[in-house]
Amino acid sequence: MSTYLRRGFRVTRGFRSSCRLRSARRFRSACRLRSARRLRSDRGVSILEFVGFLPVLLLIGMAAIQLGLIGYGVNQAGSGARAAARVASQGGDGGAAGRAAVSGWLDPRVTPEKGAETTTATVQVHVPGVIPLFGGYDVTRRATMPTDD
């Protein structure tokens, strides 16, 4: 910033362009007041915006985690149902095979039904809720295999 005097006036070049040509006495006080007002009015605005938007960000993050858990539960239930139906169709313990194929924290309930030509296994898992206002979700998958005799 460069400053020079011309006929009793102070002329500045630089970041104080709004106070370009003022008398020497009024120059300092006017520019200081303007910059002080500008600084005080912007103080804390960004933190207020962040605090206001933080619950929305948390809700979006928790919803994404919940959707991921539901997808994982669907995948696990399908794998358990296929394993239970395959083992039960060959004459084994389908319930134990279905429970072994699913993660234990999902609390799987396996029901194999052996028929004359096909064996159907149903697996129901409970996916816990991440968002406090909503409960958990129950996911059910079925798989059918031909019975081997």
Side-chain angles (χ1 to χ4, degrees), residues 6-91:
R6 184 182 352 145
R7 294 187 207 163
F9 291 97
R10 180 173 283 194
V11 178
T12 62
R13 292 188 180 130
F15 67 93
R16 294 182 182 164
S17 61
S18 63
C19 303
R20 207 161 208 140
L21 185 61
R22 302 259 185 210
S23 67
R25 216 182 271 167
R26 292 173 31 202
F27 171 78
R28 288 186 204 122
S29 63
C31 287
R32 282 184 192 149
L33 283 176
R34 277 192 187 146
S35 63
R37 261 188 255 136
R38 185 174 356 110
L39 286 177
R40 273 188 234 145
S41 66
D42 287 347
R43 225 176 234 179
V45 171
S46 62
I47 192 70
L48 286 176
E49 290 175 355
F50 178 71
V51 167
F53 198 66
L54 186 62
V56 174
L57 287 175
L58 288 175
L59 188 64
I60 290 172
M62 290 171 72
I65 291 171
Q66 184 67 57
L67 286 175
L69 281 175
I70 291 172
Y72 180 73
V74 167
N75 185 16
Q76 289 289 299
S79 296
R82 282 190 303 276
R86 182 174 49 251
V87 171
S89 71
Q90 295 172 353

